[in-house]
Amino acid sequence: PSCTAGMLGCMADGVHFQCRFCAARPFQDIPCPGTISVALASCSFPNEPATPYFWDESCELGALGCWADGLHKECRFCEKGV
């Protein structure tokens, strides 16, 4: 079933309504999908930012431009405003 605001387990990543907790308590009544598609090594924004960004394995907490998407330390803003 599709997730909407307020449904149990929805918005598990704090960004996407369709990201949902499943199987483990207290979400044991929500079945997990058979296969899951996860984008590795990519930034994830609810709305595409105007500032360019890229994946930078050398990013660390506090480094300029890092944690651009608020989810991944390797997501880094570049060029404008940094």
Side-chain angles (χ1 to χ4, degrees):
S2 295
C3 276
T4 58
M7 286 181 67
L8 181 65
C10 294
M11 208 167 160
D13 65 357
V15 178
H16 304 95
F17 279 109
Q18 298 303 316
C19 184
R20 193 171 194 182
F21 290 114
C22 62
R25 189 175 178 188
F27 312 104
Q28 65 270 17
D29 293 333
I30 301 168
C32 290
T35 58
I36 300 172
S37 172
V38 178
L40 299 176
S42 65
C43 300
S44 179
F45 293 93
N47 298 302
E48 191 68 19
T51 304
Y53 59 90
F54 69 105
W55 193 262
D56 183 354
E57 294 287 339
S58 71
C59 264
E60 295 179 1
L61 183 61
L64 185 64
C66 296
W67 294 85
D69 64 358
L71 298 172
H72 307 98
K73 70 174 182 166
E74 298 89 355
C75 185
R76 188 173 214 160
F77 283 127
C78 58
E79 295 179 21
K80 299 189 284 186
V82 288

